[in-house]
Amino acid sequence: MKKKYAVWITSFFVSAGSFITGCHTMPYHSVYYPETLDHTAAFDTDKVPYDRTGYVFQYKKSNQDGSFPADVWIYYPSKERSESFKIYRFSKLQHATDLVCADYDLIHFQPETISAYLVDKEGNRKLNAFSQYMGTDLTVTFHSHTRHCTMGITPSYNYNFDWADLNTMLPYLKKKGTDFEAGFLAPDNLARFKFAGYSRFRFTGQEEHDGKFCDVYEVKIQNHEKKPGHLYADAVNYDLVEINMSLPDNPGFNSFQFKLITKGKMTLDEWNSFILKMTRQTLKVRS
């Protein structure tokens, strides 16, 4: 890795944070598809089990062995928008927490935009990175750096986004408990986003997992089939219960585990107050 990129890379990953301990190789490379594959027919807005508006889901993000834990809350102010609030071990060092907001295209069942903010002790939100989806084109801007890539599959989901976009679209699957496929987006070690091929989700059956009866999917990423993972979805309402992958989603982690802890409801005002409260608490601001 070239030294001049080091600070920028470590600040961009982990949803646009600005400090990280450790850096792992990102094994992703661009895959060219001569024609775009359209898998949007696997999804339908009428198939969602319930409206997530007003619900907040708390997850624990970590490596597969539980190391480098981070707290992540995903809130839905509407069915077309998710807001991911994240507290990492380095949040105090960067003097900010992370908030990543996505607005969704419910025709193509993927994001329209993803905006990453740093939240300071006063609650100010500084835009740190922005992603724009235009058809099969993705543009990612971080400060003055802009990167482009072309997606070969619609919908495509951003692994570096903790797969919050996949999580959000999962309940829209027409046929629950069947195989499906989506595009796979991930950055390389120079923070260049890549369309890295497909993510294949093979339904393997149902089992009780973390106290919930789940549909279980084996997950394989193109060119990384020897490192499969698993996704667990609540069989009743298709809430994401866990993602467990041996592949890193950013250089701060050597693998990816994302486990549901709690679920509740908040108003938008309560959510914004929660972000400010937890940010001040994390940054040790005296009231």
Side-chain angles (χ1 to χ4, degrees):
M1 184 182 297
K2 295 181 179 179
K3 185 176 181 180
K4 68 178 181 179
Y5 289 109
V7 174
W8 185 70
I9 294 165
T10 55
S11 67
F12 180 85
F13 293 106
V14 193
S15 300
S18 62
F19 182 87
I20 197 166
T21 56
C23 186
H24 300 277
T25 300
M26 299 297 284
Y28 309 116
H29 303 280
S30 294
V31 175
Y32 173 69
Y33 279 43
E35 295 183 2
T36 302
L37 302 179
D38 187 349
H39 293 316
T40 56
F43 300 83
D44 189 334
T45 54
D46 293 332
K47 298 300 181 181
V48 64
Y50 70 103
D51 187 351
R52 288 184 174 183
T53 300
Y55 280 91
V56 59
F57 300 80
Q58 181 185 2
Y59 289 92
K60 182 69 73 173
K61 175 181 177 176
S62 69
N63 290 315
Q64 286 181 309
D65 62 4
S67 60
F68 202 61
D71 292 305
V72 180
W73 292 264
I74 302 178
Y75 178 69
Y76 291 92
S78 71
K79 67 180 181 180
E80 296 91 1
R81 181 177 174 86
S82 70
E83 299 189 359
S84 298
F85 174 58
K86 310 182 184 191
I87 299 176
Y88 292 100
R89 291 195 309 183
F90 56 81
S91 292
K92 187 176 180 180
L93 293 171
Q94 72 173 8
H95 305 294
T97 55
D98 291 89
L99 180 66
V100 187
C101 303
D103 291 297
Y104 293 95
D105 171 0
L106 294 183
I107 295 176
H108 299 100
F109 296 95
Q110 63 185 17
E112 286 185 344
T113 62
I114 301 176
S115 303
Y117 301 90
L118 295 177
V119 184
D120 68 18
K121 64 182 181 180
E122 304 301 329
N124 299 310
R125 300 175 181 183
K126 179 182 179 181
L127 184 65
N128 205 40
F130 180 75
S131 300
Q132 176 77 56
Y133 294 69
M134 296 288 289
T136 59
D137 295 322
L138 172 64
T139 300
V140 181
T141 301
F142 175 69
H143 292 179
S144 60
H145 301 270
T146 298
R147 310 289 188 189
H148 305 272
C149 78
T150 300
M151 299 178 288
I153 296 175
T154 303
S156 285
Y157 299 121
N158 187 336
Y159 194 47
N160 185 239
F161 183 34
D162 301 337
W163 259 350
D165 43 7
L166 168 64
N167 180 351
T168 301
M169 295 297 106
L170 197 62
Y172 292 104
L173 284 171
K174 280 184 184 177
K175 296 181 179 180
K176 312 296 195 286
T178 58
D179 299 354
F180 68 99
E181 184 173 303
F184 184 79
L185 296 167
D188 65 12
N189 278 327
L190 297 181
R192 297 172 300 201
F193 267 81
K194 305 291 187 179
F195 171 75
Y198 59 72
S199 312
R200 284 186 177 157
F201 301 83
R202 184 175 69 87
F203 179 66
T204 61
Q206 297 180 317
E207 65 179 64
E208 187 171 324
H209 187 77
D210 283 351
K212 296 179 176 61
F213 191 58
C214 294
D215 282 0
V216 184
Y217 295 85
E218 180 185 56
V219 187
K220 289 187 177 181
I221 307 303
Q222 187 171 354
N223 296 321
H224 305 282
E225 290 84 355
K226 292 183 179 180
K227 290 189 174 183
H230 290 87
L231 182 150
Y232 301 83
D234 188 308
V236 176
N237 56 28
Y238 257 58
D239 288 343
L240 177 69
V241 175
E242 183 176 337
I243 298 171
N244 198 306
M245 302 285 290
S246 56
L247 292 166
D249 74 328
N250 57 62
F253 295 82
N254 59 33
S255 53
F256 179 49
Q257 183 173 270
F258 202 66
K259 295 173 66 73
L260 180 64
I261 306 300
T262 61
K263 170 186 172 183
K265 295 200 78 173
M266 288 186 184
T267 65
L268 182 57
D269 285 343
E270 290 171 335
W271 169 244
N272 289 327
S273 295
F274 174 76
I275 291 173
L276 178 58
K277 174 185 175 182
M278 294 303 294
T279 297
R280 292 175 64 85
Q281 179 178 306
T282 301
L283 302 182
K284 307 297 183 183
V285 176
R286 293 181 180 180
S287 57

